[in-house]
Amino acid sequence: MSWFAYCRRTTLRLPNPARRQFSFSFRPRFPRDPSHLRNAPSPLQATGVPSFREQIVRAIPVQSFADVVRHPAIGKHILFVVGTSALVYAVAAYNTNLDTMFWTAYLSTQKRWNDVPPTARNIQLVQTEILYKKCQAQFKALNESLEGVPSIAKTMIANGYAMLAEMYINASEGRRVGYAIVAVNVGIWIAWQIPILRPFMRSHFIHHPLSGKSYTMLTSMFSHSSFIHLLCNSMALTSFASSTSIWMTLGQGNAPSQLRESTAVYHFLALYLSAGLFSSLVSHVVNARLVYPRLVSKLARPGETGSPGIIHRLFSNLSSVSKSNARPDAAAATSTIRGSLGASGAIYSTVIVSALAFPQAEVSLIFPPTPSFPIQYGVGGVVLLDCIGILRGWRLFDHFAHLGGATLGAMYYMYGIRAWDAMRLHALKWTTA
């Protein structure tokens, strides 16, 4: 029994032939960052020979962030503005000539106006008379359609229509055009209030310098997202459209060609559209060639205190920085260049033309209520406010678009009538052909 136990112990201790007897090796533990090896130069550095990685870096030029990022395009936007403005003026001159020829022939067929020369004033008198008869016919048809309506409601509807018709008839030609433009603006504003249409409106009725779209410079002229913005622009448009159209009619009467002009509607629309496009182009060029490059340089450049730049802080620490910590830098980067909308640039042109054409006129503000003051003081104060806004960096309004519209208005006052007269003479060849 003792022998068996001893043998049993010895057999348990016998080596297993399937195992490796000397598989264990010594693993020395070195410190992770020894101070004597951290600053020790490599053999290549000691000899002055650059490493393979350093040779690759030196051979391949590394571009900076500001060089890699492409600037927004401005060429196609300039072509769009120039081409659209030229087309608008050509169509306006052609339609003005056709309308004038039509009313001249109409006066010659009327016995009442046979002995009266077909001047622009007489043509406008005939147009007003025809408009009055048309409104009378519509009022009569409206009363006939309201036969089954209670008398109180019928009286209210009839009085409302009569008041609006009288206001429209007594309004000047330019103010009627202003009413039509305001109606279009109101329709687009209603589309802004429909939630399902807002993505479409943001994409096609706001001009953003970084979007690459050029047609939005035209569509954004009629777009107003807030009611206060729409109300202020509508009041200013209907006020200064009348004086601008009167100046256009008087200017055409004193033009070298002495061409008759039955209406200034097309001329005003051409100025309005061209001024809106030009003001949007000024804002686009400033953002694309001044604001955007400075923003890119600011994002790529480290801070003055040696701290990492905004791009480095935003993208190198995404794994450890939460959204709340990165939000200030992202908001500062995205809010620098914003989309623009509204007709302020086009309205500025009409304001400048009115101030230069009628310097003795007086204006007053409704918000806040003010007494009447000379229009030159008011226009000068508004332009000065835009200049201060640019210097101070205000972003509530698009000050560059305002100044672009004001510049075009001043230039148009000096050279616009002669250019329009030349365009009408050139379009007269197409009309008579």
Side-chain angles (χ1 to χ4, degrees):
M1 179 66 79
S2 62
W3 178 82
F4 179 77
Y6 178 76
C7 292
R8 186 179 180 181
R9 285 197 303 270
T10 54
T11 52
L12 289 176
R13 293 180 179 180
L14 289 177
N16 188 359
R19 295 180 180 180
R20 296 177 58 186
Q21 299 299 320
F22 301 97
S23 61
F24 177 77
S25 61
F26 177 72
R27 296 180 180 179
R29 295 182 178 273
F30 295 99
R32 294 183 178 181
D33 193 11
S35 59
H36 65 281
L37 295 178
R38 181 169 52 192
N39 299 326
S42 62
L44 294 177
Q45 292 178 351
T47 57
V49 179
S51 63
F52 179 72
R53 179 179 298 179
E54 292 177 350
Q55 293 180 9
I56 293 179
V57 170
R58 293 179 182 179
I60 302 176
V62 179
Q63 295 180 342
S64 63
F65 177 78
D67 296 333
V68 173
V69 176
R70 298 178 58 185
H71 293 175
I74 63 173
K76 66 176 183 179
H77 296 80
I78 296 176
L79 292 177
F80 176 80
V81 170
V82 174
T84 304
S85 300
L87 178 63
V88 165
Y89 266 93
V91 173
Y94 179 78
N95 288 331
T96 300
N97 290 339
L98 283 182
D99 191 81
T100 303
M101 293 172 62
F102 169 79
W103 286 107
T104 302
Y106 178 81
L107 289 181
S108 62
T109 59
Q110 300 296 318
K111 297 180 179 180
R112 181 182 174 185
W113 303 94
N114 282 336
D115 300 332
V116 178
T119 61
R121 177 60 180 171
N122 294 332
I123 292 175
Q124 291 179 0
L125 290 176
V126 174
Q127 292 173 347
T128 304
E129 182 180 356
I130 294 176
L131 178 62
Y132 181 77
K133 293 180 179 179
K134 184 184 298 184
C135 291
Q136 276 186 332
Q138 292 178 355
F139 183 77
K140 183 179 179 180
L142 179 63
N143 285 332
E144 292 177 356
S145 63
L146 296 176
E147 289 296 337
V149 180
S151 59
I152 297 178
K154 180 179 179 180
T155 303
M156 292 178 60
I157 295 174
N159 291 339
Y161 178 83
M163 183 181 63
L164 293 177
E166 183 180 4
M167 182 179 63
Y168 186 79
I169 293 173
N170 296 332
S172 63
E173 198 174 37
R175 183 161 294 182
R176 294 172 192 168
V177 181
Y179 290 153
I181 297 175
V182 168
V184 176
N185 295 343
V186 170
I188 296 177
W189 176 80
I190 293 175
W192 271 106
Q193 311 311 310
I194 302 175
I196 196 174
L197 294 180
R198 287 176 184 172
F200 176 81
M201 302 299 292
R202 293 191 190 100
S203 177
H204 300 284
F205 284 87
I206 293 181
H207 178 67
H208 200 288
L210 305 182
S211 66
K213 300 176 182 178
S214 56
Y215 68 89
T216 52
M217 292 190 296
L218 178 63
T219 57
S220 62
M221 291 172 50
F222 305 94
S223 179
H224 300 80
S225 59
S226 65
F227 180 76
I228 299 299
H229 190 195
L230 173 65
L231 179 63
C232 294
N233 279 353
S234 299
M235 295 175 63
L237 176 60
T238 54
S239 299
F240 293 100
S242 177
S243 56
T244 304
S245 63
I246 293 174
W247 169 77
M248 290 177 174
T249 303
L250 296 176
Q252 182 61 49
N254 299 325
S257 65
Q258 295 295 316
L259 288 176
R260 298 190 189 97
E261 188 175 69
S262 61
T263 177
V265 170
Y266 302 107
H267 190 185
F268 179 82
L269 287 176
L271 172 61
Y272 183 84
L273 294 176
S274 300
L277 289 173
F278 181 79
S279 60
S280 297
L281 179 63
V282 171
S283 176
H284 178 86
V285 171
V286 169
N287 283 284
R289 289 296 179 262
L290 295 179
V291 179
Y292 184 77
R294 292 183 180 181
L295 174 63
V296 172
S297 300
K298 182 179 179 180
L299 295 178
R301 186 177 63 248
E304 296 179 358
T305 58
S307 60
I310 297 177
I311 291 295
H312 180 76
R313 291 199 304 269
L314 284 178
F315 295 99
S316 64
N317 299 326
L318 281 179
S319 59
S320 60
V321 178
S322 63
K323 292 183 179 179
S324 60
N325 295 331
R327 189 175 300 166
D329 290 337
T334 56
S335 63
T336 302
I337 300 179
R338 299 182 299 178
S340 59
L341 73 167
S344 302
I347 296 173
Y348 253 71
S349 296
T350 62
V351 172
I352 296 298
V353 168
S354 301
L356 295 176
F358 307 100
Q360 304 301 327
E362 293 186 350
V363 294
S364 60
L365 299 179
I366 300 179
F367 303 109
T370 60
S372 299
F373 53 88
I375 188 174
Q376 293 183 343
Y377 295 162
V379 173
V382 172
V383 173
L384 180 61
L385 187 65
D386 283 317
C387 295
I388 294 175
I390 291 175
L391 297 177
R392 298 290 298 174
W394 297 343
R395 298 179 185 176
L396 182 61
F397 303 106
D398 194 346
H399 300 286
F400 284 105
H402 292 178
L403 293 181
T407 303
L408 182 65
M411 295 176 60
Y412 201 83
Y413 173 76
M414 293 185 292
Y415 310 106
I417 294 298
R418 283 180 286 178
W420 171 252
D421 189 58
M423 180 65 72
R424 285 197 61 192
L425 285 175
H426 191 69
L428 195 61
K429 302 176 183 178
W430 311 332
T431 309
T432 56

